[in-house]
């Protein structure tokens, strides 16, 4: 009897011992996660008024919070969440369409001090929405703690004439993010998206070459929107009539695909946020062929399948013609922004 009890005790100790060793090994393996659970994180006072500190919540917490808010039907007091507010964005990703705007927004949302408007709001580029007023715009923003910053993205802003003045009227010191890719790649990506939409509706569509080159003059067709959108400097010049160049940050969309972390670190700096996005948060998914996002040890996600389409091959002569066309605009863009790319 005594022998049996001793054997049971030994077995229990063994199980407890293995659990303890397992836990230590687990914690060591996930030290990156532990870093994310530090209790306090200061957000630079230049972005958010007041010397308050914000709790460095995990994204899991943010998600649960939103879920609770939806369920609670507005009774924030009951949840002890009365400090939550809907803030106008302190930073906007204004474009460029197909530059990687969704990836940038989702990746910035890995930062515990960043909340994002999930949908494109189209407040400043859509007259009907704009007429609804700034409080309507605010109502579209997610709940956040006052020390967090809100970011939205609507890539149509970059190319729409009225937008710079409208944003300036709302907040003349807002931070503006522009993500660009090599202009021809971006134009082809733009074309591919429209093509897919036409195919879905069983409609026929011209080849990229036919749209990009004017058959009458054999010149590059600047009336074609996909071509025009990639003349970054032309659009930026309109914005510079309202905002100084220091208020813009240019993100390299091609680098965000290949190696996102350094680009995100630059954005954190531009937004005066403490660096919190780490290698732990990003992993390469070979099946998708892109980096995906890891929020914590349980939750990770890749972008939707509509991001990362296969582009059609473009005729070599048309490619060189487009390269010659974009070259002077690209040079000007480097000169204005102070960021040089290795575009042809
Ligand atoms: P392609 O579909 O041409 O590959 P936007 O969000 O502005 O529409 O940009 C879409 C582009 O984001 C995609 O263009 C894709 O290349 C790029 N992208 C950047 N990082 C990505 C990521 N981690 N996952 C998927 N797509 C990403």
């Amino acid at each position: 009897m005594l022998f049996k009890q001793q054997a049971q005790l030994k077995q229990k100790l063994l199980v407890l011992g293995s659990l303890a060793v397992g836990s230590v090994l687990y914690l060591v393996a996930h030290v990156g996660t532990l870093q994310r659970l530090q209790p306090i994180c200061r957000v630079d006072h230049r972005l958010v008024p007041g010397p308050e500190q914000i709790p460095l919540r995990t994204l899991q917490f943010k998600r649960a919070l939103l879920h609770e808010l939806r369920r609670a039907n507005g009774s924030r007091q009951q949840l002890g969440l009365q400090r939550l507010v809907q803030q106008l964005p302190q930073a906007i990703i204004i474009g460029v369409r197909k530059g990687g705007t969704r990836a940038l927004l989702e990746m910035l949302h890995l930062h515990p001090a960043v909340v994002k408007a999930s949908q494109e709001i189209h407040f400043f580029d859509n007259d009907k929405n704009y007429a609804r007023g700034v409080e309507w715009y605010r109502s579209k923003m997610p709940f956040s703690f006052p020390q967090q910053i809100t970011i939205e993205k609507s890539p149509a802003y970059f190319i729409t004439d009225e937008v710079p003045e409208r944003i300036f009227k709302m907040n003349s010191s807002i931070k503006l993010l522009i993500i660009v890719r090599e202009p021809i790649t971006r134009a082809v990506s733009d074309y591919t998206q429209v093509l897919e939409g036409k195919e879905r509706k069983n409609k026929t569509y011209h080849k990229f070459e036919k749209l990009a080159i004017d058959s009458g003059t054999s010149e590059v067709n600047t009336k074609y929107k996909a071509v025009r959108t990639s003349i970054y400097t032309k659009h930026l010049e309109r914005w510079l009539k309202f905002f100084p160049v220091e208020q813009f940050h240019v993100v390299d969309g091609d680098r965000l695909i290949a190696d996102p972390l350094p680009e995100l670190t630059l954005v954190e700096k531009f937004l005066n946020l403490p660096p919190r996005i780490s290698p732990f948060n990003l992993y390469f998914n070979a099946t998708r062929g892109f980096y995906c996002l890891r929020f914590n040890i349980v939750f990770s996600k890749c972008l939707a399948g509509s991001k990362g389409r296969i582009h059609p091959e473009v005729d070599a002569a048309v490619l060189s013609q487009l390269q010659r066309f974009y070259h002077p605009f690209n040079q000007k863009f480097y000169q204005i922004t102070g960021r040089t790319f290795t575009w042809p």
Side-chain angles (χ1 to χ4, degrees):
M1 185 69 175
L2 189 69
F3 179 71
K4 201 175 166 192
Q5 274 178 344
Q6 271 180 341
Q8 275 176 345
L9 189 69
K10 234 184 195 173
Q11 207 174 0
K12 273 184 191 161
L13 284 174
L14 204 71
V15 171
L16 281 174
S18 327
L19 274 174
V21 171
S23 306
V24 169
L25 286 175
Y26 178 84
L27 290 177
V28 168
H30 293 94
V31 72
T33 319
L34 287 179
Q35 277 167 5
R36 298 182 59 76
L37 296 173
Q38 291 159 11
I40 293 290
C41 141
R42 225 186 106 77
V43 173
D44 195 295
H45 65 279
R46 272 173 292 177
L47 263 185
V48 283
E52 273 190 87
Q53 310 260 304
I54 66 155
L56 181 55
R57 319 257 170 187
T58 59
L59 281 151
Q60 199 177 18
F61 172 80
K62 281 208 281 195
R63 219 163 288 280
L65 189 72
L66 288 175
H67 182 65
E68 284 303 315
L69 270 178
R70 276 188 211 113
R71 274 198 342 182
N73 219 2
S75 62
R76 282 188 276 156
Q77 273 80 354
Q78 284 169 2
L79 289 158
L81 299 173
Q82 54 272 47
R83 282 180 61 230
L84 286 174
V85 284
Q86 280 174 295
Q87 303 185 74
L88 291 171
Q90 291 90 340
I92 304 183
I93 300 170
I94 56 172
V96 180
R97 175 183 151 94
K98 304 321 294 173
T101 53
R102 174 57 60 186
L104 179 61
L105 183 71
E106 297 296 330
M107 287 175 181
L108 288 177
H109 188 226
L110 288 162
H111 196 293
V114 172
V115 292
K116 58 162 184 155
S118 293
Q119 307 294 320
E120 292 180 9
I121 316 282
H122 289 281
F123 176 61
F124 298 103
D125 63 307
N126 179 313
D127 290 343
K128 213 166 131 196
N129 286 343
Y130 190 65
R132 291 175 160 137
V134 85
E135 286 312 310
W136 177 86
Y137 185 45
R138 187 196 297 279
S139 76
K140 297 285 166 199
M141 294 299 151
F143 286 96
S144 61
F145 290 102
Q147 302 85 350
Q148 289 180 307
I149 64 161
T150 301
I151 302 187
E152 82 123 329
K153 76 117 180 163
S154 293
Y157 291 166
F158 187 59
I159 56 160
T160 308
D161 287 349
E162 298 79 9
V163 173
E165 186 173 5
R166 288 176 176 180
I167 295 188
F168 182 83
K169 278 184 181 157
M170 180 190 75
N171 179 357
S172 62
S173 59
I174 198 159
K175 304 220 171 195
L176 301 164
L177 292 160
I178 311 172
I179 178 162
V180 290
R181 279 163 88 187
E182 188 279 310
I184 306 169
T185 312
R186 197 222 62 83
V188 176
S189 173
D190 202 333
Y191 166 83
T192 310
Q193 172 161 318
V194 178
L195 175 71
E196 195 182 283
K198 299 269 181 198
E199 282 176 346
R200 222 180 299 123
K201 291 178 193 155
N202 279 329
K203 286 187 177 165
T204 50
Y205 198 47
H206 296 297
K207 285 187 77 178
F208 175 78
E209 290 84 343
K210 193 164 170 21
L211 295 166
I213 307 296
D214 184 321
S215 54
T217 61
S218 300
E219 298 286 320
V220 169
N221 179 11
T222 51
K223 290 197 189 97
Y224 176 42
K225 195 172 159 201
V227 164
R228 216 173 48 242
T229 302
S230 286
I231 311 175
Y232 304 137
T233 183
K234 285 274 172 222
H235 301 289
L236 185 59
E237 278 164 22
R238 276 187 304 100
W239 285 83
L240 290 170
K241 289 184 186 141
F242 293 90
F243 297 96
V245 75
E246 297 77 36
Q247 251 165 271
F248 297 85
H249 176 76
V250 177
V251 178
D252 182 344
D254 294 310
R255 191 153 166 242
L256 194 84
I257 295 174
D259 184 17
L261 191 57
E263 283 303 314
L264 295 170
T265 306
L266 289 175
V267 180
E268 286 178 324
K269 219 169 174 180
F270 173 70
L271 297 177
N272 295 319
L273 293 171
R276 283 290 179 277
I277 305 173
S278 73
F280 168 80
N281 297 124
L282 299 154
Y283 66 96
F284 187 75
N285 181 313
T287 319
R288 278 290 276 120
F290 284 98
Y291 275 87
C292 294
L293 290 67
R294 184 184 287 122
F295 291 86
N296 51 48
I297 47 168
V298 194
F299 183 70
S300 42
K301 72 165 187 186
C302 297
L303 261 59
S306 59
K307 304 292 173 187
R309 296 185 176 97
I310 295 168
H311 296 182
E313 225 172 274
V314 177
D315 176 78
V318 170
L319 271 184
S320 340
Q321 190 174 351
L322 284 168
Q323 285 173 3
R324 284 194 301 277
F325 170 78
Y326 281 118
H327 186 77
F329 296 117
N330 294 344
Q331 297 299 315
K332 188 109 187 266
F333 185 69
Y334 306 159
Q335 200 190 335
I336 294 174
T337 60
R339 188 146 195 197
T340 306
F341 297 91
T342 52
W343 301 335

